[in-house]
Amino acid sequence: MSFVLAIDQGTTSSRAIVFRSDISIAAVAQQEFPQHFPASGWVEHEPEDIWTSTVMTCRDALEKAGLAAKDIAAIGITNQRETTVVWDRATGQAVHRAIVWQDRRTADICAKLKADGHEPEVSARTGLIIDPYFSGTKVAWILDHVPGARERAERGELMFGTVDCYLLWRLTGGKVHATDATNASRTLLFNIHTGQWDDALLKLLRVPRSMLPEVKDSSAEFGTTTPDLFGGPIKVAGIAGDQQAATIGQACFTPGMMKSTYGTGCFALLNTGATPVKSNNKLLTTIAYQLDGVRTYALEGSIFVAGSAVQWLRDGLGIIKHAAETGPLADKSDSMQSVYLVPAFVGLGAPYWNPRVRGALFGLTRNTGPAELAHATLESVCYQTYDLWAAMRADWPDASAATIVLRVDGGMTASDWTMQRLADLLDAPVDRPMIQETTALGAAYLAGLHAGVYPEPEKFADNWRLEHRFRPAMSAATRERKLAGWARAVKGVLASDEGE
């Protein structure tokens, strides 16, 4: 049993990947499922779609790899975080569609909690800000809006879980109601210092304790799948939310290591070790992973627009046909021009957190053309990453002494031009790994660690393989000039906010 099956349950699709004992990939299967948008700012999934697509991709991946249940040492689960499911303890029937992490319907609840002065206490306990993004207010909304749900919950008839928890419950035939510390830490209900569900938070958000799952290590005995699903029982031995799983897949086990995932947006996590670091720069404090009862913490920052800025060049402006053209085009830009794009298409994320501002271009000349716009677009992702790193350094006292290691994954990392510019602006090496499937690999590692397929973190880190290291090659004077120009551009965008 030298294979591990990773379930990567995402926002638009479910994937299953079979990893060998040397972490190479034996098979991949993927299936998209429908999104539901019942009102402006609302995003929902049908829990049954999440479940069936997960089972189908697992079966498909096993078949492609030519393997049976008896060949799989363990299953690891990674999932879209914060998405909320409430279901009936007796029947397994969801009482409402899953409310997705992107959903903004609880904005009024959050605004009232903030107005009533609860945010400092909530942040101190959870490491989070009060925002519709997180699960707690979503649970409260379901209990308040589904007829009879609150009464049923008070009687102990309903269960709450993030997607990993819901899948685990279904995989084990309703025997196990559990999650891991990383997913629990994204609910607004979990105290990241005590490692327990927090009674004060449960009371504030009016969520009955009986609904909540048991919280375990990220690598642990989570139960066994029912034999009918995959032709035999397989134990589930690893769970982590997607960004934390990517951090593990990138082997960022040492304080000071940072991973940045570049997709539509960008999520950066900095390992801060055994100490939860309170952010003064609107970053989130979160649990990176929990092994053997020991929590490792991280600072997390999110950028709203990364890859979607390149999509804008392609679909909005029509200056490229394929994303891969952007780097070579940027390379042809006029070095005498200093064009800055602040891609605040949906506001600015960390460390600014201003949803009202919109994007802008600065420094245009009569000679500005497609090459300069491509240059500014790719560079904007690097500048935003620099802002996150600067905020993390300001928040974490040990950052100045730590050796910066940035490991990158996601679609945009295929652009050598962008990764080189990132290294130049951070003045730090940027490492791109051989295996880009870092999220699924993190889930597989957690399961394989418990099952004895993979070694302890230090040894696993030795297996991490570098595909390319981008080293800084920009002069300090040029870097400082460019960063100062970016700071002025962001200041200009923030100044445009008239609070409309």
Side-chain angles (χ1 to χ4, degrees):
M1 297 204 304
S2 54
F3 296 89
V4 177
L5 175 61
I7 293 171
D8 183 357
Q9 204 298 304
T11 308
T12 57
S13 69
S14 299
R15 296 194 310 152
I17 302 182
V18 178
F19 287 91
R20 299 184 183 93
S21 57
D22 63 357
I23 71 171
S24 63
I25 292 172
V28 181
Q30 181 165 352
Q31 188 176 314
E32 292 190 1
F33 60 88
Q35 313 284 300
H36 301 278
F37 308 98
S40 176
W42 292 27
V43 190
E44 296 178 349
H45 292 156
E46 195 61 64
E48 208 60 36
D49 290 339
I50 292 174
W51 167 244
T52 52
S53 60
T54 297
V55 173
M56 293 303 288
T57 52
C58 286
R59 289 174 178 167
D60 195 10
L62 289 173
E63 189 178 329
K64 283 181 178 176
L67 300 171
K70 63 179 174 54
D71 303 313
I72 304 297
I75 291 174
I77 302 172
T78 184
N79 54 290
Q80 46 167 320
R81 302 177 303 176
E82 298 94 19
T83 297
T84 298
V85 190
V86 174
W87 68 97
D88 186 289
R89 189 181 295 275
T91 66
Q93 200 67 37
V95 303
H96 191 275
R97 280 182 182 152
I99 301 182
V100 179
W101 59 274
Q102 298 155 311
D103 190 285
R104 307 300 292 175
R105 78 185 65 188
T106 64
D108 290 346
I109 300 173
C110 293
K112 180 159 190 337
L113 288 168
K114 285 184 174 184
D116 291 346
H118 292 297
E119 188 161 61
E121 181 66 14
V122 170
S123 292
R125 291 169 186 258
T126 66
L128 310 175
I129 58 174
I130 292 179
D131 191 89
Y133 180 24
F134 306 108
S135 313
T137 57
K138 301 182 198 296
V139 186
W141 188 95
I142 290 173
L143 296 183
D144 287 338
H145 288 80
V146 174
R150 184 162 289 286
E151 293 76 13
R152 290 168 68 195
E154 298 286 359
R155 290 197 300 268
E157 295 172 13
L158 300 185
M159 308 171 96
F160 150 68
T162 42
V163 169
D164 61 296
C165 178
Y166 174 71
L167 288 177
L168 178 66
W169 195 83
R170 295 289 298 261
L171 287 166
T172 60
K175 285 193 174 70
V176 182
H177 186 213
T179 187
D180 90 301
T182 69
N183 280 293
S185 76
R186 311 296 294 189
T187 60
L188 276 182
L189 303 171
F190 189 74
N191 189 314
I192 62 169
H193 308 283
T194 64
Q196 306 288 329
W197 297 116
D198 192 291
D199 286 325
L201 297 171
L202 294 176
K203 184 178 178 185
L204 178 66
L205 294 175
R206 298 175 303 118
V207 175
R209 181 177 269 277
S210 61
M211 297 181 73
L212 302 175
E214 179 187 356
V215 180
K216 298 191 172 207
D217 285 348
S218 306
S219 177
E221 197 75 43
F222 283 99
T224 305
T225 65
T226 55
D228 57 305
L229 288 173
F230 309 121
I234 308 173
K235 70 177 178 178
V236 180
I239 292 180
D242 54 9
Q243 298 309 322
Q244 285 93 337
T247 305
I248 293 160
Q250 289 278 36
C252 291
F253 295 120
T254 307
M257 293 182 77
M258 177 178 167
K259 78 89 198 172
S260 206
T261 300
Y262 295 94
T264 303
C266 162
F267 289 89
L269 268 77
L270 172 75
N271 183 328
T272 63
T275 311
V277 175
K278 182 182 183 302
S279 177
N280 297 310
N281 293 283
K282 298 185 178 177
L283 301 174
L284 304 177
T285 307
T286 199
I287 295 174
Y289 49 87
Q290 181 174 308
L291 300 174
D292 298 323
V294 178
R295 290 181 292 283
T296 296
Y297 295 92
L299 281 170
E300 178 176 325
S302 47
I303 295 166
F304 295 154
V305 174
S308 52
V310 176
Q311 290 172 335
W312 171 67
L313 290 181
R314 184 191 66 200
D315 305 334
L317 300 186
I319 65 175
I320 55 167
K321 286 185 178 168
H322 304 287
E325 297 168 29
T326 322
L329 185 60
D331 215 21
K332 297 175 185 165
S333 63
D334 177 4
S335 61
M336 300 305 289
Q337 294 191 50
S338 294
V339 181
Y340 292 92
L341 167 68
V342 183
F345 303 144
V346 288
L348 284 171
Y352 306 104
W353 288 111
N354 189 324
R356 295 179 300 274
V357 297
R358 291 297 175 258
L361 276 160
F362 293 86
L364 300 179
T365 73
R366 181 65 184 79
N367 289 328
T368 300
E372 288 71 35
L373 292 179
H375 183 130
T377 299
L378 294 181
E379 220 168 36
S380 74
V381 177
C382 306
Y383 286 129
Q384 290 180 99
T385 306
Y386 173 84
D387 285 345
L388 289 184
W389 174 243
M392 287 171 173
R393 288 178 75 103
D395 277 338
W396 189 41
D398 299 344
S400 53
T403 304
I404 303 172
V405 178
L406 177 62
R407 291 183 169 175
V408 294
D409 54 83
M412 283 197 83
T413 63
S415 166
D416 287 0
W417 191 96
T418 310
M419 294 302 101
Q420 182 58 51
R421 186 48 51 98
L422 183 58
D424 288 341
L425 291 172
L426 290 182
D427 193 22
V430 170
D431 287 357
R432 185 170 64 195
M434 292 288 283
I435 294 183
Q436 283 284 303
E437 299 287 358
T438 54
T439 304
L441 177 58
Y445 171 68
L446 291 169
L449 172 65
H450 188 77
V453 176
Y454 300 131
E456 293 301 307
E458 298 74 24
K459 290 249 175 57
F460 176 70
D462 294 340
N463 290 331
W464 186 89
R465 290 285 172 268
L466 179 69
E467 186 266 333
H468 190 83
R469 169 166 280 188
F470 297 88
R471 299 179 185 277
M474 184 180 279
S475 72
T478 302
R479 182 183 309 110
E480 285 165 21
R481 175 178 59 77
K482 292 177 81 65
L483 290 170
W486 167 254
R488 285 194 299 273
V490 171
K491 196 173 177 183
V493 165
L494 293 172
S496 72
D497 173 23
E498 296 168 5
E500 293 176 1

